[in-house]
Amino acid sequence: MSARSFELLIEFAYAPEAPQALEGGTAAAYEHLERALKASRLKGGQPSEELSFYFEMVRLGVALAFVKAFTRLSDNEKSIEALETLQEALKANSTKDIDKIIQKKIGSFDHLYHEIFVNEHRELLLGLFERTLDAGTKEELDELTMEGLELLEDIDWEAAAQNDEDDEPLPPLDEDFLKNL
């Protein structure tokens, strides 16, 4: 995979709006990770704080893409909190800061699972999101990025938007009727 694939994943997830993912650019974050991996190998494979940080930034970027695509499909206002948490974490300056941000707002991710099974694509996106959180190597992130690109290309975004417009809210249940049950 390349920095361009990572960049495309985020662009597809945000389309048609402009991505608001990584400061300095999406491709730059991936390139920083590659440089940190190379430097680590030259030092005998010892992971550095820099390597950990750039790995987390790329992992957050991949996760952000899946959550952004999910929010576009779900129209669930509460799931936007998870997206905002990831965006805030991407502004962190260290892995410790990332962990603090995520831990402080971990409950926001529970909202992603509301009505998950209503749409197959939502379910697949959350599966990719979960696998992203478990990923421990650049190769795993590369694979998830490629799977995500394939999935995002398969989604008929116009049909999904039209389905959301066609979904009218159900009328509230009559309280007197419920009492008589």
Side-chain angles (χ1 to χ4, degrees):
M1 188 188 81
S2 67
R4 181 63 183 141
S5 298
F6 179 52
E7 195 172 43
L8 281 173
L9 177 70
I10 293 177
E11 286 175 11
F12 283 4
Y14 273 84
E17 62 183 276
Q20 300 171 354
L22 297 153
E23 289 184 27
T26 307
Y30 190 87
E31 291 163 359
H32 286 299
L33 173 60
E34 287 184 324
R35 279 195 293 277
L37 275 168
K38 188 180 282 187
S40 173
R41 287 185 193 120
L42 292 173
K43 294 179 182 177
Q46 293 289 1
S48 65
E49 175 60 31
E50 181 183 42
L51 174 60
S52 297
F53 176 69
Y54 287 120
F55 178 80
E56 288 303 321
M57 295 305 281
V58 171
R59 182 163 54 175
L60 282 170
V62 173
L64 175 84
F66 296 141
V67 172
K68 176 59 179 177
F70 178 85
T71 59
R72 287 178 57 202
L73 287 174
S74 71
D75 197 32
N76 177 351
E77 288 294 320
K78 294 225 177 218
S79 66
I80 292 173
E81 292 174 28
L83 181 68
E84 290 169 348
T85 299
L86 291 171
Q87 288 172 327
E88 182 180 344
L90 281 167
K91 295 176 183 171
N93 294 317
S94 70
T95 54
K96 288 180 183 179
D97 289 344
I98 292 169
D99 289 342
K100 285 179 190 175
I101 292 166
I102 298 294
Q103 289 303 314
K104 186 171 76 173
K105 297 183 179 182
I106 196 78
S108 66
F109 295 96
D110 293 338
H111 300 297
L112 295 173
Y113 295 90
H114 179 69
E115 297 178 11
I116 178 179
F117 300 108
V118 175
N119 179 296
E120 178 186 6
H121 290 121
R122 289 183 214 168
E123 185 177 352
L124 292 171
L125 285 165
L126 285 183
L128 289 171
F129 171 71
E130 289 173 355
R131 288 176 48 209
T132 301
L133 298 179
D134 292 335
T137 66
K138 178 186 165 292
E139 291 75 21
E140 289 175 291
L141 291 178
D142 291 347
E143 182 180 321
L144 288 161
T145 297
M146 296 311 290
E147 287 181 46
L149 279 170
E150 289 176 21
L151 176 59
L152 294 180
E153 287 177 344
D154 287 343
I155 295 173
D156 183 352
W157 295 101
E158 290 180 23
Q162 188 172 1
N163 286 343
D164 287 343
E165 291 170 8
D166 292 343
D167 292 341
E168 293 185 26
L170 296 173
L173 294 174
D174 183 2
E175 288 184 35
D176 291 332
F177 173 75
L178 290 175
K179 289 177 185 174
N180 291 328
L181 290 178

